[in-house]
């Protein structure tokens, strides 16, 4: 548990970065601090590892005031991912990741073994281990930064706008990777971002902060969207709110149409769902292809019942026949949904079904 008790930070020039912050971050949770520039979110996060000292109040980890913990000891137990990875340019990827283990006293061979495990965990090819940061793409560098932060298996991970310096496609990939990692390792993660969509997609809890470091609302993403505490929070989430809420409804209860039997040509007609369209399934290669009335062919998007209505809507709108396949519990395509099946959610949103 990370606890902020009436924490304030005023800089020597009189700038008030954080004002009377009271916040409890549960162990194993993913908390995102979000807000405009100058709202104190980065300052607040940096107070957790004493990179910034509060001018009033206390920050505690599991009930212990961090001011009483030796700074080096404290920081060795907290992973830190910087905005631009912050890698040492003169060290290989492997030695960058092994840095903290070496500081903890492990031998070079032990540290490198741990570093290899961390690289594998974040999805980096072992062939990259002996390259230098300048030889990597921005997304690969950021993955190395995450691997370095995780390599010593710290209980707490701080992330300072870790994906803002990469392109949108890589950013989505990294966000998905972090979601997968957190489901597996369950660290206490505190992340800073100015992107409300990123906050809604990653956080278990979101702390919305206003200029002056004033906490406006601390709640789940769904509550932030559907029950903003005040006009400031409302202004932050108002744009595309209905679309965003679809991320919190799954396809579990959506009515789907069962796939029919293949014809003599091995193709499955889609009937009224998409007149003239056929589906070709190759179970051996695990591929699905839409075949149109004019001979066009395109790969079919496939989702699971646990996926969100928002992801289904994206897939349906991108599909040439406005349909998306659904897998059963054995990962076999058994049914499909279209825009009409999603319509009740588009009309009423997640609030009526939450």
């Amino acid at each position: 548990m990370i606890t902020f008790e009436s924490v304030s930070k005023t800089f020597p020039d009189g700038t008030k970065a954080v004002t009377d912050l009271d916040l409890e971050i549960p162990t194993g949770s993913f908390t995102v601090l979000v807000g405009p520039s100058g709202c104190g979110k980065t300052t607040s996060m940096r107070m957790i590892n004493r990179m910034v000292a509060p001018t009033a109040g206390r920050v505690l980890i599991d009930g212990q005031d961090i001011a009483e913990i030796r700074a080096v000891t404290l920081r060795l137990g907290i992973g830190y991912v910087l905005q631009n990875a912050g890698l040492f340019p003169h060290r290989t990827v492997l030695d960058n990741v092994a840095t903290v283990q070496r500081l903890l006293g492990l031998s070079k061979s032990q540290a490198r073994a741990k570093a290899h495990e961390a690289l594998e965990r974040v999805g980096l090819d072992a062939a990259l281990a002996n390259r230098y940061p300048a030889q990597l793409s921005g997304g690969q560098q950021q993955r190395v930064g995450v691997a370095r932060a995780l390599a010593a298996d710290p209980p707490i991970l701080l992330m300072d706008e870790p994906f803002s310096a990469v392109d949108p496609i890589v950013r989505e990939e990294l966000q998905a990777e972090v979601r997968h990692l957190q489901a597996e390792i369950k660290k206490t993660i505190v992340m800073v971002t100015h992107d409300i969509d990123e906050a809604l997609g990653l956080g278990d809890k979101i702390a919305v902060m206003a200029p002056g470091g004033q906490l406006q609302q601390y709640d789940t993403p769904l509550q932030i969207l559907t029950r903003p505490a005040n006009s400031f929070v409302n202004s932050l989430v108002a744009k595309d709110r209905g679309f965003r809420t679809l991320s919190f409804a799954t396809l579990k209860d959506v009515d789907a149409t069962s796939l029919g039997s293949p014809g003599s040509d091995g193709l499955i007609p889609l009937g009224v769902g998409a007149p003239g369209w056929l589906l070709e399934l190759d179970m051996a290669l695990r591929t699905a292809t839409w075949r149109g009335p004019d001979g066009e062919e395109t790969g079919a998007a496939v989702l699971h019942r646990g996926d969100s209505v928002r992801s289904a809507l994206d897939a349906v709108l991108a599909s040439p026949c406005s349909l998306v396949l659904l897998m059963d519990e054995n990962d076999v395509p058994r049914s499909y949904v279209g825009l009409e099946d999603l319509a009740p959610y588009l009309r009423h949103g997640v609030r009526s079904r939450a």
Side-chain angles (χ1 to χ4, degrees), residues 5 65 131 156 188 208 223 230 253 271 287-288 300 309 331:
E5 290 185 349
D65 189 339
R131 293 189 186 181
I156 296 172
T188 303
V208 180
Q223 289 293 104
N230 53 39
D253 298 321
T287 60
V309 172
D331 282 345

Side-chain angles (χ1 to χ4, degrees), residues 92-101 114-115 118-119 144 147-148 151:
T92 64
V93 165
L94 192 64
D95 286 334
N96 261 285
V97 177
T99 299
V100 177
Q101 292 97 317
K114 292 280 188 182
L119 288 172
V144 174
R148 183 175 62 185

